[in-house]
Amino acid sequence: MGTLVAISHHTSTTQAFTSFPVNMMCKNTSIILLLNLLTYFSGISGFAPSLHLQPKGTHTKYPVGTTPLNAENKDPTTSSSGSSSLYQDIPKKKPWTFGILTSGFPPQQILVPVVKFVTFQVWKLMMNELVTHDEQGRFVRESFQAGNDPSPLELPNSSDSGESYSRYKIYLGNPCPWCHRVKAAMAVLNLEGEIPVTMLIDDAEKASKGGWILPTPSADDRKANIAEELITGDLAGVYNYCYRDILEEGEKYKGRCTAPLLVDTTTGTIVTNESNEIMILLNDYTRRLPDHESVDLRPIGREEELDDATKHWFDLLWNGSYKCGFATSQVAYDEAASDVLKGLNEMNEVLASRPYLLGEDVSEVDLKGFSWVVTRHDYAYTVIFKSPGGRIAQYPHISAWVKRLVSDYPKLLDSIDMEDACGSYYRQLFMLNFGRVVPYIPNVKDWVAGL
C-alpha cells in the first residue's frame, strides 16, 4: 500500500541536485501531490494479495483445497492451532483500503492499464525534472562547473601565534561518489590535517535549494574567523556568498549547488567544484609541501594517459550506472547496461595482468574507480539503478584490486560510511523507490572481507 507523504509548499522554478545521490523538489506542488496519489493507488492495484473469496459465513483460515491436520499428525509446518504455518491469519488491524480489486468496480481490465499509463507519465515528468534526457530517454550529464580558477593552491601560511592555517575549505558529502573520490585522494595523500573539510548532510527538506546542508560549525571553523555564510546554513548559501560580487542585491545563484566544492575562504570565492580538478590541485599541492611524504597520483608526463583512462571508465562504468538508473526508455537502458557489462569484464581483464589500473603504481584513476566499485555498485547501483553485472565478488581480479588498495592504503576504509552512502539513494531518490524502504547494507569493512 502506498503511503501519502508530506507535501512541501516550496514552489521555486528551479531546483538543484547535489551530484548524486540527488535531492530535489519539483516545480509545482501539484505534481508532487499527483505523484503521491498515483503511488497510493498503484500500490493498491500492483501489490494486492492473492484472495480466495468464499460465500459469507463460510470463511475458513485454511487455504482453498486444504484441510486441517489432525492433532496427532505433528507436521513441522503446522502451528499450535493446527493451521499451516505457511499462511497467516488476517490481522485485526490493517491498513485501510478502497477494496477496488475485490469489488470489481471499476473493472480491473480498465483500472490497471489506466493507473499504469498515468503513473508512468507522471514518473517520466519527475525524471525529466530531476535530470536532463535526450529524445530517446537517455540520461545526459550536464556540466555545472563553477569557479574555473584551477591555479595552484597556495601553501599554508603562519598566523601571528605561529600556527599554520590553510586559506581553503573543501565541502564534501558522504553519499556522493564524486565527493568520495576527493576524500579518498586526501586520505592517500595524507592531507586530512592540511586542508579543512566540511562534511555536508543530505537533507532536501531543510535545504533552501539542492540537498546539502552544513553541520554545526566546529571550534576550528570559529577560530578561523571566516565568513558566517561559509560555515552555517546550507550549500546554496555558500554559493550565494561566493557569487555576491556578481549577483544583484537580493538575487540568488541560479545554477545547481553541487559538491564537491573547493572554496578560498580568504577571498570568499569558489576555486572549483569539479572533482577531477580538485584531485589535480590536491596532488600538486602535496608535491610542494615540505617534508610531506605521499604517493604521486598524477605523475608528470602521464597526464594524457590518465585523462584518457578517466574518460574511458567514466563512459563505461562511472556514468554508465547512472545512465541505467535514469533511463526513461528501454532502448536507453539497454545501451547503458551493455556499457556497464562491457566495463566490468574489461576492468577484470585489465587487472588480471597488473596490480593497478594503469600499471604498477596507484593513480588518481584507481581512486575514482574505488569510489564507484567499493561503496556503491553492489548495494546501490545494482538495485535501485538496475545496473547489471552482479556483485563485485564475481570478478576475482577486481576483488583482488580492492583488497590491495585497502591493504596498501588502510585510510581508504575510513573515507566512506558505506551504509549511509548507499542508503541515501533509497531515501532521497523517491521516484525510483516509492516505498522508501532501505535494504540491508553492510559496513565497508565487512563488505571487503567478503570479497
Side-chain angles (χ1 to χ4, degrees):
M1 178 68 66
T3 303
L4 295 178
V5 302
I7 306 300
S8 168
H9 294 282
H10 185 82
T11 56
S12 63
T13 56
T14 58
Q15 184 58 43
F17 67 96
T18 55
S19 298
F20 294 99
V22 293
N23 300 305
M24 73 306 295
M25 286 183 275
C26 73
K27 294 179 180 179
N28 194 306
T29 55
S30 62
I31 296 178
I32 299 180
L33 176 61
L34 180 58
L35 178 64
N36 280 277
L37 290 172
L38 288 169
T39 302
Y40 180 79
F41 288 115
S42 65
I44 296 174
S45 63
F47 298 94
S50 175
L51 301 176
H52 301 287
L53 303 181
Q54 301 178 51
K56 184 176 181 181
T58 62
H59 172 72
T60 174
K61 59 185 175 183
Y62 305 113
V64 172
T66 67
T67 57
L69 296 169
N70 294 327
E72 60 271 13
N73 184 6
K74 302 298 182 181
D75 190 286
T77 63
T78 60
S79 66
S80 59
S81 63
S83 63
S84 173
S85 62
L86 299 179
Y87 297 85
Q88 296 175 289
D89 292 334
I90 297 176
K92 294 180 180 180
K93 293 184 178 181
K94 61 177 183 176
W96 181 83
T97 70
F98 286 105
I100 295 176
L101 290 182
T102 56
S103 69
F105 182 82
Q108 182 170 307
Q109 295 89 338
I110 297 176
L111 174 67
V112 173
V114 169
V115 171
K116 281 185 175 180
F117 174 79
V118 177
T119 302
F120 173 73
Q121 296 303 321
V122 175
W123 168 81
K124 191 173 181 180
L125 174 62
M126 288 298 297
M127 292 291 281
N128 289 334
E129 290 284 338
L130 173 63
V131 295
T132 302
H133 296 86
D134 67 10
E135 293 181 351
Q136 298 299 317
R138 300 181 186 90
F139 164 55
V140 177
R141 184 180 293 279
E142 295 181 82
S143 171
F144 299 102
Q145 190 163 348
N148 299 312
D149 181 27
S151 54
L153 303 182
E154 291 187 10
L155 297 180
N157 296 312
S158 296
S159 64
D160 295 337
S161 62
E163 297 180 356
S164 62
Y165 66 94
S166 172
R167 63 183 295 168
Y168 305 102
K169 177 180 280 291
I170 299 179
Y171 298 84
L172 302 175
N174 179 71
C176 170
W178 319 110
C179 291
H180 183 204
R181 56 168 60 176
V182 172
K183 194 173 182 184
M186 295 188 74
V188 171
L189 294 172
N190 296 316
L191 286 178
E192 296 99 326
E194 296 289 339
I195 300 178
V197 172
T198 292
M199 293 304 300
L200 302 165
I201 302 168
D202 60 323
D203 192 335
E205 295 180 9
K206 293 183 178 179
S208 63
K209 180 180 179 181
W212 299 117
I213 63 173
L214 274 60
T216 302
S218 66
D220 289 338
D221 284 333
R222 294 297 187 189
K223 187 177 179 181
N225 195 30
I226 60 178
E228 188 74 9
E229 291 84 353
L230 299 180
I231 57 176
T232 60
D234 56 22
L235 194 64
V238 175
Y239 273 81
N240 289 334
Y241 178 76
C242 291
Y243 280 98
R244 65 194 180 284
D245 294 333
I246 299 175
L247 300 173
E248 298 290 338
E249 184 176 354
E251 184 184 4
K252 294 184 178 180
Y253 177 69
K254 293 183 174 60
R256 292 190 169 181
C257 306
T258 64
L261 177 67
L262 176 60
V263 170
D264 183 332
T265 60
T266 301
T267 61
T269 57
I270 292 173
V271 178
T272 180
N273 65 347
E274 212 288 317
S275 63
N276 291 304
E277 285 188 356
I278 294 176
M279 293 179 75
I280 293 171
L281 291 171
L282 292 177
N283 191 72
D284 173 73
Y285 179 87
T286 305
R287 283 200 200 111
R288 294 181 287 112
L289 281 176
D291 303 322
H292 188 85
E293 295 184 2
S294 71
V295 298
D296 190 348
L297 297 176
R298 190 178 174 84
I300 296 174
R302 299 188 65 185
E303 293 87 353
E304 184 176 354
E305 179 186 8
L306 289 161
D307 292 342
D308 288 345
T310 290
K311 179 70 164 58
H312 178 74
W313 297 116
F314 174 86
D315 290 341
L316 291 179
L317 294 177
W318 309 335
N319 197 44
S321 291
Y322 284 88
K323 286 185 174 181
C324 288
F326 293 122
T328 57
S329 72
Q330 191 64 50
V331 170
Y333 172 80
D334 290 343
E335 291 175 356
S338 177
D339 285 341
V340 172
L341 288 171
K342 178 183 176 182
L344 283 168
N345 289 319
E346 183 179 331
M347 179 176 283
N348 195 56
E349 291 177 7
V350 167
L351 290 168
S353 59
R354 60 183 69 168
Y356 293 107
L357 287 172
L358 266 66
E360 297 297 318
D361 300 313
V362 68
S363 73
E364 62 181 36
V365 179
D366 292 287
L367 300 185
K368 294 169 184 177
F370 179 82
S371 66
W372 181 87
V373 167
V374 171
T375 55
R376 292 163 179 85
H377 175 77
D378 281 5
Y379 290 94
Y381 299 156
T382 60
V383 184
I384 196 168
F385 281 174
K386 302 179 287 292
S387 188
R391 298 297 177 89
I392 293 300
Q394 298 172 221
Y395 303 88
H397 304 300
I398 297 179
S399 298
W401 167 72
V402 170
K403 290 183 175 181
R404 185 178 303 111
L405 273 169
V406 299
S407 175
D408 292 348
Y409 306 98
K411 289 183 179 180
L412 285 174
L413 289 175
D414 298 323
S415 67
I416 188 69
D417 180 341
M418 184 167 167
E419 295 160 283
D420 173 70
C422 293
S424 178
Y425 287 78
Y426 299 94
R427 294 189 299 269
Q428 304 298 349
L429 294 175
F430 63 88
M431 72 291 299
L432 296 179
N433 183 36
F434 286 145
R436 302 178 189 180
V437 174
V438 180
Y440 165 76
I441 302 167
N443 64 61
V444 66
K445 293 181 180 179
D446 288 344
W447 180 80
V448 172
L451 292 176

